[in-house]
Amino acid sequence: MDVPMWIDGEPVETGEWIARENPARPREFAGRAVAGTAQDVERALSAARRAFPAWGQRPLGERVEMVRVAFLDALAEPATIGTTIAAEVGKVRDDAIGEVRYVRQLCEYYAAEAPRLLGPIETEDERGRIRRMHRPFGVVAAITAWNAPVILASLKAIPALMAGNAVVLKPSPLAPLAVTGLLCAVAARLPAGVLQVVHGDAEVGEALVSSSHVDKISFTGGVVAAGHIARSAAARLVPTLFELGGNDAALVLPDASLDEAMVERILFGAYLNSGQVCMAVKRVFVPEQQAEDFVERMRTVAARTLRVGDPQDPASTLGPVITRKDQRRLERLIASAEEAGGVVHRLGTDHIVDEDGYWVHPTLVTGLPDAHSLVCEEQFGPVLPVQTYTTVDEAIERINAVPHALGSSVWSADEEAAVALAPRLRAGFTFINSHNRSGMSLRAPFGGVGISGNGKEFGPEGLASYSYLHVAHTPHERAGGANAYPVLPDDG
Ligand code: NAD
């Protein structure tokens, strides 16, 4: 599959090509994308600037309906799009199809909520009338990661467009195919310049975020790229939304049942998409006395459910990792854990199709100090440390001792107690008796703090991120003169 860029209402099919190999069969190509240049980015941004006024002034209901119809039409064949995602990312096909179906639901959710959330709100009391109006920023530069290419791009494009912005999106060069197919189909149904797609690596990304045409930056990816973008945005005081990496802890409390269904949710919370999910479980904390039993239960459930193999095979539940570089990085991480005295348990079964693929066997590691990089850094692979604790206070202190603060989870028979404990965890989200895909909701705003980012995607806040509030105030009491503060009789 070859994909173009989409600039100013038409496909751009000439230029260098970015080839994307299939991580399960690296000698085969999943497809190619036309590589962009700084000039392409500038052309797209100028077109966005021209398109914005008319798009932003369209009646809200009309705009929302245009975006809804365009996305739903373009998402009409989840199986075809899912097959492409599986080929370029290596995630198993059913999971990839689920990603596409989820975007359909996201689109319906935002279309239903947008009129209420983005429409004007008027309040009036004896002091005056206040009208709150949501105004689009203008041109949004969106840059996304590869691990859930369609959902990550849609989480930005759908709300930003519905709010009235023009969007220029750069997907990751590691997964440009499915998302570009989708966005070109959407863009073709919208006025020229309203939605555009450019391709390239960091250099093209930097050209995009540093342009004076950009009014808002929305970024999903790693902390290093976010640092570059933040510096560029700061120079022009452009507002940013950052969705970055995590080192999510699952805190298993002493009263957690650890039945098979719960253990399976922890297992897939960690290993789904071979651990390459921002909100994956990346550390598990279990009470010391239950640790042996916990590891045994994880091994038993994994033997039944974790099957590493061809992502296109319906029997596979895990595919390869994204690049050779990541495969080598994870192998070194596991080797260093063994050298540091960690005990490495291999989980599940292998059904590898091509020895050359970027396979990393799912691995659970016990006996590591918290300071080991496998525990204190984001692994972003199928490698999970199990840490033991003696008191809950001690576990919370150790969980909070890492710089990442994205998600977290609490596992307990007492869900009220688990919710009450959640704010003690330094994170932007806490799943209760679930984690990762099993605990997701379109209605629950997700995002981190600190080096894990700012702001939220999903939920009402995910829509609100793409507009600013413009307020019109009609005071009933209009004071004049030098002492102009209005004072009402009951103000004392
Ligand atoms: P990355 O930062 O390497 O790349 C992300 C995007 O940024 C790509 O499109 C890349 O080309 C671009 N980019 C890289 N350097 C840039 C620069 N200097 N200027 C502008 N653009 C630049 O991240 P990745 O490897 O694609 O993704 C993995 C990371 O993303 C993990 O840390 C993961 O946890 C995180 N992630 C977070 C969320 C979330 O919602 N919080 C979701 C998915 C992934």
Side-chain angles (χ1 to χ4, degrees), residues 143-147 170 172 206 219-222 225 243-245 278 378:
I143 297 183
T144 49
W146 52 266
N147 57 329
K170 188 195 88 61
S172 167
E206 280 176 17
F219 174 77
T220 300
E243 299 291 342
L244 311 178
C278 60
E378 180 182 42

Side-chain angles (χ1 to χ4, degrees), residues 236-492:
R236 288 168 298 112
L237 298 180
V238 174
T240 52
L241 171 64
F242 284 135
E243 299 291 342
L244 311 178
N247 192 356
D248 290 16
L251 173 56
V252 177
L253 295 180
D255 69 349
S257 74
L258 290 184
D259 58 33
E260 209 162 304
M262 186 177 270
V263 171
E264 187 173 324
R265 289 202 298 282
I266 297 177
L267 196 71
F268 278 92
Y271 294 101
L272 194 78
N273 197 21
S274 294
Q276 303 166 116
V277 182
C278 60
M279 59 172 79
V281 178
K282 292 177 182 138
R283 300 173 286 161
V284 186
F285 283 77
V286 289
E288 182 138 36
Q289 289 90 337
Q290 287 160 253
E292 213 173 294
D293 178 43
F294 176 78
V295 171
E296 207 35 55
R297 285 171 192 244
M298 289 281 275
R299 290 169 67 112
T300 306
V301 177
R304 177 171 59 75
T305 58
L306 293 189
R307 185 185 158 103
V308 180
D310 181 359
Q312 307 285 358
D313 177 352
S316 302
T317 55
L318 294 185
V321 297
I322 188 75
T323 61
R324 178 79 68 211
K325 195 171 154 205
D326 284 283
Q327 182 193 32
R328 299 285 183 248
R329 176 181 64 77
L330 289 156
E331 285 167 355
R332 283 196 302 274
L333 193 61
I334 295 166
S336 92
E338 273 185 306
E339 279 160 27
V343 181
V344 171
H345 310 261
R346 279 169 64 105
L347 304 181
T349 54
D350 267 343
H351 303 269
I352 286 169
V353 276
D354 179 341
E355 289 298 328
D356 250 15
Y358 308 146
W359 311 104
V360 176
H361 203 83
T363 299
L364 190 144
V365 187
T366 54
L368 281 181
D370 288 356
H372 192 278
S373 51
L374 195 147
V375 185
C376 67
E377 290 170 18
E378 180 182 42
Q379 317 94 10
F380 222 57
V383 182
L384 178 70
V386 175
Q387 306 301 95
T388 61
Y389 68 84
T390 47
T391 70
V392 173
D393 286 346
E394 168 220 327
I396 292 172
E397 198 179 321
R398 288 166 55 200
I399 286 169
N400 291 345
V402 301
H404 284 103
L406 187 63
S408 55
S409 58
V410 182
W411 302 76
S412 169
D414 182 347
E415 297 201 329
E416 281 312 306
V419 171
L421 189 150
R424 295 182 62 196
L425 298 172
R426 195 171 157 271
F429 199 100
T430 300
F431 299 92
I432 307 297
N433 286 331
S434 59
H435 203 128
N436 201 341
R437 204 67 47 77
S438 76
M440 270 177 80
S441 162
L442 296 168
R443 292 174 294 112
F446 184 87
V449 293
I451 69 161
S452 290
N454 59 42
K456 298 286 182 196
E457 290 189 322
F458 296 101
E461 287 78 0
L463 190 55
S465 298
Y466 295 97
S467 56
Y468 66 90
L469 265 189
H470 185 158
V471 178
H473 181 215
T474 316
H476 291 336
E477 299 285 331
R478 295 179 181 88
N483 180 12
Y485 288 111
V487 178
L488 287 179
D490 63 355
D491 281 348

Side-chain angles (χ1 to χ4, degrees), residues 196-254:
Q196 300 172 90
V197 185
V198 294
H199 293 142
D201 54 17
E203 209 176 306
V204 171
E206 280 176 17
L208 180 56
V209 296
S210 61
S211 167
S212 59
H213 284 305
V214 171
D215 301 302
K216 166 102 187 180
I217 298 169
S218 181
F219 174 77
T220 300
V223 71
V224 175
H228 289 291
I229 294 169
R231 281 187 284 280
S232 170
R236 288 168 298 112
L237 298 180
V238 174
T240 52
L241 171 64
F242 284 135
E243 299 291 342
L244 311 178
N247 192 356
D248 290 16
L251 173 56
V252 177
L253 295 180

